[in-house]
Amino acid sequence: MGDGKGVLSIVGIGPGAEEHASRAALEAIAASDLIVGYTTYIRLVKHLIEGKEVIKTGMTEEIGRARAAVERARDGARVAIISSGDAGVYGMAGLVFQVLEEIGWKRGESPELRLVPGMTALNACASLVGAPLGHDFCAISLSDLLTPWPVIERRLEAAAAADFVIGLYNPASGRRTRQIVRAQEIIRQHRAGTTPVALVKSAYRKLESAVLTDLDHFLDYEIGMLTTVLVGSTNTFMFEGYMVTPRGYTNKYTWDGAALPGQTPGRSLVLSDESGTAEEV
Ligand code: SAH
């Protein structure tokens, strides 16, 4: 127990390999005395944490781990709680806030919170197969351990009907295999069987693999806990072994930039916010 204010860093370390973690993430880990996380993720950064205290536990002990991290940081330690990808995307960040709420923590009190973003599996996996996320997309986790299955089905149905590119997290595990089969049925009701599908496993880790297939055939391949499934929209196409979702420009413009007949050319807007930064859209 120290007298000073502790620090709780909630850190996303990216998909795996260190070059895909941000420098801010690596620095937050280096600046901490206590590292908390799943065994697998601790292993990914083990060379960074020599000599540090580590609390690693299995997947099912999340609440205890979040509580331990919060309490130690409140009492003055510098703690990093790590998730793969981004800690706020199906990661530990939300749970940490729930623990903070439960203990009555207020802004300005110990611990100071530092949230460090990470590259999520969706970005990492997309980069291995082309540009599948070039237009509106969504993420749906097929894990029904914490979410009732009817809620997941409703979201699959809505996303499929609205023609989003769909990233399926937690598609299957050893015991949980029927959800991905049902997901395929639902999406197939709204999209052709030839819709491109990518299965990316262990992106930027040792056993990385990527398979490009389609909606009718993707269940013929191995899908597990370390796989992310990317299902194309009705606009997604295959090109030279890449999966591409266009932004739609070629529907409206010719390649030299002129508007096609019947199309109104867009105007450039400059939006500015109070801080004076501007973004061209
Ligand atoms: N916080 C993480 C997601 C954790 S949920 C993130 O932002 O990426 C766990 C699921 O993420 C896995 O079941 C898998 O679908 C996906 N995933 C995580 N890391 C991955 C990787 N390196 N390659 C492929 N999929 C991955």
Side-chain angles (χ1 to χ4, degrees), residues 162-215:
D163 203 23
F164 283 102
V165 172
I166 304 174
L168 298 172
Y169 280 81
N170 300 300
S173 69
R175 272 169 301 170
R176 212 167 43 71
T177 52
R178 92 199 135 72
Q179 288 84 353
I180 188 67
V181 176
R182 184 71 189 119
Q184 189 239 24
E185 274 170 21
I186 293 171
I187 301 169
R188 183 67 179 82
Q189 283 162 16
H190 299 272
R191 297 187 197 173
T194 52
T195 303
V197 171
L199 310 175
V200 186
K201 183 179 153 198
S202 297
Y204 300 103
R205 297 186 192 174
K206 240 188 232 140
L207 297 171
E208 174 184 291
S209 74
V211 171
L212 283 167
T213 171
D214 65 29
L215 195 50

Side-chain angles (χ1 to χ4, degrees), residues 1-155:
M1 273 244 233
D3 304 328
K5 204 163 152 181
V7 176
L8 182 57
S9 297
I10 306 173
V11 182
I13 58 167
E18 186 176 324
E19 61 264 38
H20 296 103
S22 72
R23 201 163 73 195
L26 301 177
E27 283 171 6
I29 292 168
S32 300
D33 316 305
L34 171 64
I35 312 294
V36 181
Y38 294 142
T39 310
T40 330
Y41 308 151
I42 298 277
R43 209 180 303 128
L44 291 172
V45 293
K46 72 169 185 292
H47 55 292
L48 299 173
I49 59 181
E50 266 168 43
K52 296 183 190 292
E53 187 188 350
V54 173
I55 301 181
K56 51 183 175 188
T57 47
M59 291 268 178
T60 51
E61 298 146 70
E62 279 192 331
I63 296 176
R65 198 170 57 228
R67 195 182 300 276
V70 168
E71 283 169 1
R72 289 287 298 273
R74 182 193 57 197
D75 293 344
R78 288 177 302 176
V79 179
I81 184 157
I82 65 175
S83 285
S84 79
D86 185 275
V89 177
Y90 308 119
M92 293 287 291
L95 186 56
V96 169
F97 279 103
Q98 288 176 293
V99 170
L100 288 166
E101 187 184 29
E102 191 191 306
I103 66 169
W105 175 86
K106 299 273 179 289
R107 260 181 201 263
E109 292 179 356
S110 183
E112 177 194 330
L113 295 186
R114 294 184 191 163
L115 293 125
V116 184
M119 182 202 301
T120 186
L122 216 46
N123 302 114
C125 294
S127 74
L128 292 172
V129 296
L133 308 178
H135 208 295
D136 298 339
F137 62 90
C138 67
I140 300 178
S141 167
L142 295 190
S143 171
D144 57 357
L145 300 178
L146 299 171
T147 306
W149 179 249
V151 173
I152 300 172
E153 274 209 6
R154 185 152 52 82
R155 291 179 183 165

